[in-house]
Amino acid sequence: PMTPDGRGALRPLRLVADAGEPPHLGGDPRLVATGFASLDRALAGGLRRGDLGLLGGDAGSGTSSLALGIALRAARRLAATDLDAPAPPAPRVLLLSAEMAPEQVLERALAIDARVALDDLRLDALDLDGRDRVTAAAARLQQAAPAIRWLGQG
């Protein structure tokens, strides 16, 4: 599904969900919930397995952050179905980005998951509580992070 914004061209950021096991406990196995209730309602339950979802919007409108948030939540839900795996399961969510290198995406993912300001993380300006949240977020991301591929130059 595509999210038109009616204001600008599509941004080159795509979210693809793997077509493997059920995406969330007790849900429709053909769907991958985005983790955002209002978006899931608009998409009649979530993203369809095997479909390519594109987000469009003006620069700075939050499309990259939304796509990353969806990828993080989907990866966590999918990892929850792999509870009997002895090691962290292989990533089953893929985030393709033409804007940011994987390191930048993971840095942003860490800040989002830990609920800390990205600038504070980059500048090492976190208080003790922020550092604890970043440590916990890093552990969660090791268990359930999307695969990230950069489509940029290099």
Side-chain angles (χ1 to χ4, degrees), residues 55-56 62 67 112 122 139:
L55 293 176
I112 288 171
R122 286 178 175 163

Side-chain angles (χ1 to χ4, degrees), residues 2 19 27 50 55 78 110 130 132 150:
M2 191 146 79
L55 293 176
L78 289 165
L110 188 59
D132 289 344
W150 187 35

Side-chain angles (χ1 to χ4, degrees), residues 74-147:
R76 186 162 295 143
R77 286 180 182 271
L78 289 165
T81 65
D82 294 329
L83 295 177
D84 56 346
R92 294 174 46 211
V93 175
L94 173 63
L95 181 72
L96 302 174
S97 176
E99 297 176 312
M100 295 181 286
E103 297 79 15
Q104 293 172 295
V105 175
L106 287 171
E107 181 181 53
R108 187 177 281 198
L110 188 59
I112 288 171
D113 194 284
R115 297 179 186 261
V116 299
L118 183 58
D119 287 342
D120 289 347
L121 180 63
R122 286 178 175 163
L123 297 172
D124 196 23
L126 297 169
D127 61 15
L128 186 57
D129 181 56
R131 289 177 189 273
D132 289 344
R133 290 197 316 265
V134 167
T135 300
R140 285 189 298 271
L141 287 171
Q142 283 183 327
Q143 294 299 311

Side-chain angles (χ1 to χ4, degrees), residues 10-14 55 57-65 67 96-102 104-105 108 149-153:
L10 290 176
R11 307 253 335 187
L13 186 68
R14 297 179 277 173
L55 293 176
D58 292 332
S61 66
T63 53
S64 297
S65 294
L96 302 174
S97 176
E99 297 176 312
M100 295 181 286
Q104 293 172 295
V105 175
R108 187 177 281 198
R149 299 293 180 270
W150 187 35
L151 302 176
Q153 302 294 326

